[in-house]
Amino acid sequence: MHRAAHRAAKRFATPQRWRVVRARRAASGWSEQPEVSALASCLERHGLIAEAILDSCGAAAFADACPTIGASVGAHLRHSLEHVQCCASAVESLRSGSLQPILSYDGRERDAQLESDPAYLAARSRDLMNGIVDGDGVDLDAAVLAAFALDASGDDALLPSTLRRELAFAAHHATHHFFIARLVAKGHLGVDLPDDVGRAPATLRNDRQSASTGAYVDVGG
């Protein structure tokens, strides 16, 4: 196995820095809800990808844009992590007694350090994971508003939603960016991330169902 691939595989096989957060997840009944668990796993994966790139080829590679795709591993992880940040902010707002908080996905921070510093992104992922799993007492079906820019010339649309739905959206959205990050890691940096990185649960389920029949197997997230 190529040395970079070995280091990446080792990071995913022994995610030492995430064990404390995993223990907190196990101790929280709220975190057992499927939407919360999926988003917590998604945050762990953000950190593990960042740490795998750092371990394999250094911090500079994390921000090195692939010419074909036009973005770096760091850019895709930053983009998806800031969507999760919107969810974490909504959890905190509801915990504080706010009514119908707004998740402004297109008004997110766009923190450049997140896409240039893999250690910083991993640490931020752990912080967000702590906030997500400590949501006991927050109603997953609480009303929220999701703000999206649907027209470049107009104001954001405010779409009625629930916290549960937005947690699921953020996890689902991240999966597709993990897939592109895996392509950049392999094709541009020579780092093999695990095959399941960026493969959506529905894709994995379809793969299992299709394996014995030779039917269509999905290729991406």
Side-chain angles (χ1 to χ4, degrees):
M1 180 185 293
H2 189 278
R3 182 176 297 177
H6 173 74
R7 288 175 178 168
K10 183 177 180 181
R11 169 60 64 186
F12 277 81
T14 56
Q16 302 288 344
R17 301 175 202 177
W18 297 87
R19 287 185 176 177
V20 173
V21 183
R22 283 182 172 185
R24 295 183 70 182
R25 285 171 57 188
S28 169
W30 198 76
S31 68
E32 294 176 359
Q33 296 296 314
E35 301 83 6
V36 178
S37 179
L39 193 56
S41 295
C42 161
L43 284 163
E44 180 178 358
R45 182 137 290 194
H46 275 92
L48 289 174
I49 294 171
E51 291 171 347
I53 299 300
L54 179 61
D55 290 349
S56 300
C57 43
F62 187 68
D64 189 14
C66 171
T68 302
I69 293 177
S72 64
V73 171
H76 280 279
L77 294 187
R78 188 270 306 160
H79 171 87
S80 57
L81 189 69
E82 289 186 336
H83 280 68
V84 180
Q85 169 68 66
C86 293
C87 292
S89 296
V91 170
E92 183 57 35
S93 293
L94 290 165
R95 184 188 288 115
S96 300
S98 297
L99 298 177
Q100 205 170 34
I102 297 174
L103 291 84
S104 183
Y105 292 115
D106 294 320
R108 60 193 182 277
E109 185 178 358
R110 294 175 171 83
D111 182 352
Q113 188 179 355
L114 285 172
E115 63 181 78
S116 64
D117 186 341
Y120 174 68
L121 185 137
R124 187 71 189 123
S125 298
R126 281 191 290 275
D127 288 344
L128 290 172
M129 192 170 170
N130 280 324
I132 291 293
V133 301
D134 286 344
D136 285 328
V138 176
D139 182 4
L140 275 171
D141 294 310
V144 301
L145 292 171
F148 290 96
L150 301 179
D151 183 338
S153 63
D155 295 331
D156 285 358
L158 292 177
L159 309 177
S161 187
T162 65
L163 178 64
R164 185 188 302 275
R165 191 271 171 198
E166 296 310 311
L167 297 184
F169 160 73
H172 190 268
H173 170 258
T175 298
H176 299 285
H177 287 280
F178 293 159
F179 180 71
I180 301 172
R182 180 160 65 92
L183 294 180
V184 175
K186 182 176 178 62
H188 185 55
L189 303 178
V191 177
D192 277 315
L193 297 175
D195 289 342
D196 65 342
V197 170
R199 295 187 72 77
T203 303
L204 295 171
R205 182 176 60 201
N206 180 73
D207 288 351
R208 288 195 299 269
Q209 294 172 345
S210 302
S212 61
T213 64
Y216 168 76
V217 175
D218 205 350
V219 296

